[in-house]
Amino acid sequence: MKDKQHKVLVVDDEQSILELLTYNLEKEGYEVKSASDGFEAVEVAKDFKPEVILMDIMMPNQDGVETCRQIKENGDLKNTFVIFLTARSEEYSEVAAFEVGADDYITKPIKPRALMSRINAYFRRDTKDKNNHITAGDLIIDRTSYTVRLNEVELILPKKEFELLYFLVKNPNKVFNRDELLQNIWGSDVYVLARTVDVHIRKIREKIGENYITTVKGVGYKFSLA
Amino acid sequence: MKDKQHKVLVVDDEQSILELLTYNLEKEGYEVKSASDGFEAVEVAKDFKPEVILMDIMMPNQDGVETCRQIKENGDLKNTFVIFLTARSEEYSEVAAFEVGADDYITKPIKPRALMSRINAYFRRDTKDKNNHITAGDLIIDRTSYTVRLNEVELILPKKEFELLYFLVKNPNKVFNRDELLQNIWGSDVYVLARTVDVHIRKIREKIGENYITTVKGVGYKFSLA
DNA sequence: TATCAACTTAACAATTACTTAATGATTAGT
DNA sequence: ACTAATCATTAAGTAATTGTTAAGTTGATA
C-alpha cells in the first residue's frame, strides 16, 4: 500500500478506456476519479484536486489541450501533472500540448504496465525532491511557504521557532546543546542567553505536541520520531 | 461553452461531407454555413464573414485554389483562415494552395476529432492573448485589461499594485521578501526603499480584502489560498 | 502649465516576536 | 530521600517588524 492515497483523474470519452485506466490505477492503490469530456474534467478537477491528470487529447466538445489550459489557469491546480494520451496516428501538434503546460505524452494503444510505472515514477520524484519541504512523521515543513503542516492542519510559526524546528528536523536524532543551536540559528555574532532556547522549544512543543522534540538532560535537544 | 460564437464556412461538393463537418462543428459550438461549390462559397463568405473556411480543393466548376484567391482578394476576408481538404491520393500542388493564401492543409479521409482539434487550436491561438488570465479562489486576474475580478466585481488596480498582485498570485504560497519583490516587479536597477512594498500591499488589501495576502513576519509576504 | 493619479518617502502607531528573569518541576547522584 | 543541577513554564519587559496615514514627488495628460 501507499503511504498516502494519491489522487489521479482520468479523462476520456471512451468508456472502455476509462474503465481500463481506473481499474489499473486503483489496483496500484490510487484514488481515482473520471470524467468523460473536457467540461466535466475541469469541474471535477477543481473539486478533487488530483496530483496527476491522465487525459485523452482528442475529445468531443472540448479537446484535451484546451481543457489543460483551463485547468492550469486555476491557481490550485497549477502544479498538477498532466499526461496526454494520444493515438500514434493522430497528428496532433505536440507543440500545442506543451504550450499549454502538458507534462508528458503517452501514445495509445495503452500498455497498462508501462503507464503505471510512469505514474509511479512521477510520484516517487514528486515526493522526493520536488518542493523545498521535509517530511517527518506527521509533520511537513515547507521552507518556501514558511509553514508547518501537522496532519493537514497548517501551523504558522514565527521566524525563530520555524528556523529552530527546521534545523532540528533537518538533523534528526542528533543532539545539539543550546550554544550550538544559537550559533546555527541566531548566528555567531548574536549575544543572547542560552536559556532563550528553552522558551522557543516550549512554544514549538505547544504547537506541534510534546512527542517530537526530546530533551537530553545535561546536553540539549534533539528531534526524534517516536 | 465558448466565449463567443465563432463562424465557420464549409465548402464541398459532396453532400455527405458537408453534413459530417457541419454536424461536428455545431456540436463544438460553432456557427456553421455551407456551400457546395466555389461560386456559392464566395457569395456566402462575403455575407457571413467566417473566421475559418474549410474547403475541398477539388471541386467542379471552380476549384478551391481559385476560390481561395477570390476570397482573399476581398478586404473583409483577408484574414480569414482557410483550410483545404484533399484526398491523400490527389496530387494537387500544395505550392499552388499556399500561394493563394491557404493556411492549412488536411488530408482525407477526414477524422472528425483530429479536425476539430485543429480548428479549436486555431481559435485558441487567435484568442490566446485575450484569455490571458489567472484564477485563484474568487479572484480572476486579467493581464490584458489590467483588471481584477472579485466575485464578479471588477477592480482596477494601478500598475505597480497590479504587477505585485499578479506576481504573488502566479507564485502562490511562496514567501517573498521585500527585496525579491522589488527585484521582480520594479527591476534590478531601480532604487526604492523596501518599505514601499508595504504601502502597495496595504492598498491591494484595501481592494481585495485581507484574506489573500499573508504577512510572514521577519520574512515577507505571500499569496495564500484559503 | 495646471491637474490628477500614481508612486515614494517618512513618521508614528500598533502589533508581534523575542528575551529575560523569576519561580516551579523534574531528574540524577549520593 | 535529600540535594544540587537542570529543565519547564510563566509573565513581564524590550526590541523588532509591520500597519497606517499623510505629506511630498514625479510624471503623464489635457
Side-chain angles (χ1 to χ4, degrees):
Chain A
M1 260 303 109
K2 298 275 185 298
D3 295 0
K4 195 203 145 195
Q5 190 96 331
H6 287 300
K7 294 183 286 187
V8 180
L9 170 63
V10 296
V11 187
D12 202 305
D13 57 312
E14 282 178 58
Q15 189 61 26
S16 64
I17 291 190
L18 282 185
E19 278 165 15
L20 171 74
L21 292 173
T22 302
Y23 169 78
N24 279 286
L25 286 163
E26 284 179 344
K27 205 173 62 180
E28 288 280 320
Y30 295 109
E31 189 183 345
V32 184
K33 293 217 177 189
S34 61
S36 51
D37 65 43
F39 299 122
E40 195 188 342
V42 175
E43 289 314 304
V44 175
K46 278 182 188 161
D47 230 52
F48 185 46
K49 296 191 187 12
E51 286 108 321
V52 168
I53 297 176
L54 220 57
M55 179 157 55
D56 190 13
I57 205 165
M58 297 289 199
M59 289 186 295
N61 303 330
Q62 177 174 294
D63 67 31
V65 174
E66 173 61 16
T67 305
C68 178
R69 199 183 60 71
Q70 286 181 27
I71 286 170
K72 292 272 177 170
E73 228 168 61
N74 190 307
D76 284 339
L77 302 170
K78 186 161 284 159
N79 295 316
T80 306
F81 197 78
V82 176
I83 301 174
F84 278 130
L85 305 173
T86 179
R88 198 184 305 275
S89 59
E90 291 168 3
E91 294 188 15
Y92 203 95
S93 161
E94 282 189 35
V95 177
F98 287 112
E99 256 171 18
V100 294
D103 302 282
D104 205 347
Y105 213 82
I106 290 175
T107 54
K108 294 179 183 177
I110 294 163
K111 292 179 214 152
R113 293 240 295 270
L115 176 58
M116 288 308 127
S117 68
R118 209 124 153 205
I119 289 178
N120 289 335
Y122 166 72
F123 281 113
R124 251 195 318 278
R125 166 154 41 100
D126 182 48
T127 53
K128 225 177 206 169
D129 54 39
K130 205 184 183 182
N131 271 333
N132 199 359
H133 66 249
I134 312 179
T135 310
D138 297 330
L139 281 178
I140 301 171
I141 302 184
D142 187 335
R143 210 140 209 322
T144 55
S145 63
Y146 257 86
T147 52
V148 176
R149 297 189 90 85
L150 174 62
N151 296 319
E152 305 298 310
V153 183
E154 187 169 302
L155 308 173
I156 294 175
L157 307 201
K159 197 176 175 183
K160 285 269 164 24
E161 289 170 36
F162 182 88
E163 298 290 355
L164 180 52
L165 176 59
Y166 185 78
F167 180 78
L168 290 171
V169 171
K170 235 174 53 180
N171 302 283
N173 297 314
K174 186 164 149 72
V175 186
F176 296 94
N177 66 36
R178 292 174 179 70
D179 285 330
E180 289 174 315
L181 293 172
L182 287 174
Q183 284 274 319
N184 280 292
I185 293 141
W186 274 253
S188 51
D189 52 346
V190 179
Y191 174 71
V192 290
L193 298 181
R195 302 233 134 251
T196 300
V197 174
D198 299 29
V199 179
H200 285 289
I201 293 285
R202 159 94 206 344
K203 295 199 162 175
I204 294 171
R205 282 173 172 161
E206 226 166 46
K207 284 161 188 158
I208 69 169
E210 311 292 319
N211 299 324
Y212 291 100
I213 297 174
T214 309
T215 304
V216 181
K217 218 171 166 170
V219 188
Y221 299 99
K222 69 172 177 180
F223 182 88
S224 54
L225 294 169
Chain B
M1 264 307 114
K2 296 278 185 300
D3 295 1
K4 195 202 143 194
Q5 189 96 332
H6 288 299
K7 293 182 287 187
V8 180
L9 170 63
V10 296
V11 186
D12 202 303
D13 57 313
E14 282 179 56
Q15 188 61 27
S16 64
I17 291 191
L18 281 185
E19 277 166 15
L20 171 73
L21 293 173
T22 302
Y23 170 78
N24 280 287
L25 286 163
E26 285 180 342
K27 204 173 66 178
E28 288 280 320
Y30 295 109
E31 190 183 343
V32 185
K33 293 219 176 189
S34 61
S36 50
D37 65 42
F39 301 123
E40 195 188 343
V42 176
E43 289 315 305
V44 175
K46 279 181 186 163
D47 225 51
F48 184 48
K49 297 189 185 20
E51 286 110 319
V52 168
I53 297 175
L54 220 58
M55 180 157 52
D56 191 12
I57 206 165
M58 295 291 205
M59 289 185 296
N61 304 330
Q62 179 174 293
D63 69 27
V65 174
E66 174 58 19
T67 305
C68 179
R69 203 184 51 70
Q70 287 180 26
I71 286 170
K72 292 275 177 171
E73 255 170 19
N74 187 309
D76 284 342
L77 301 170
K78 193 158 276 162
N79 295 315
T80 305
F81 196 78
V82 177
I83 301 174
F84 279 130
L85 305 173
T86 179
R88 198 183 304 273
S89 59
E90 292 167 3
E91 293 192 16
Y92 207 96
S93 161
E94 282 188 36
V95 178
F98 286 111
E99 262 172 11
V100 294
D103 302 281
D104 205 349
Y105 210 80
I106 290 175
T107 54
K108 295 179 184 177
I110 294 164
K111 293 178 218 152
R113 293 234 297 260
L115 176 58
M116 289 308 126
S117 289
R118 196 97 69 111
I119 289 176
N120 288 336
Y122 165 71
F123 282 112
R124 202 159 40 238
R125 172 155 25 106
D126 188 44
T127 58
K128 202 178 197 174
D129 300 324
K130 288 175 196 154
N131 281 339
N132 195 357
H133 64 264
I134 315 178
T135 313
D138 296 331
L139 283 178
I140 302 170
I141 301 184
D142 188 331
R143 204 134 215 328
T144 47
S145 60
Y146 259 77
T147 53
V148 176
R149 295 188 91 84
L150 174 62
N151 297 319
E152 306 301 311
V153 183
E154 188 169 302
L155 308 171
I156 295 175
L157 306 201
K159 194 172 174 184
K160 284 273 165 15
E161 289 170 37
F162 182 88
E163 296 290 354
L164 181 51
L165 177 59
Y166 186 77
F167 181 78
L168 289 171
V169 172
K170 237 175 50 181
N171 301 284
N173 297 313
K174 187 165 152 67
V175 184
F176 297 93
N177 66 35
R178 292 175 179 70
D179 286 329
E180 289 173 316
L181 294 172
L182 288 175
Q183 284 272 321
N184 281 292
I185 293 143
W186 275 254
S188 52
D189 52 348
V190 179
Y191 175 70
V192 289
L193 297 182
R195 296 299 309 279
T196 300
V197 174
D198 298 30
V199 180
H200 286 287
I201 293 285
R202 157 100 204 340
K203 295 198 162 177
I204 294 171
R205 282 174 172 161
E206 226 166 45
K207 285 161 189 160
I208 69 169
E210 310 291 318
N211 298 325
Y212 291 100
I213 297 174
T214 309
T215 303
V216 180
K217 225 176 162 172
V219 187
Y221 298 99
K222 69 175 173 180
F223 183 88
S224 51
L225 299 165

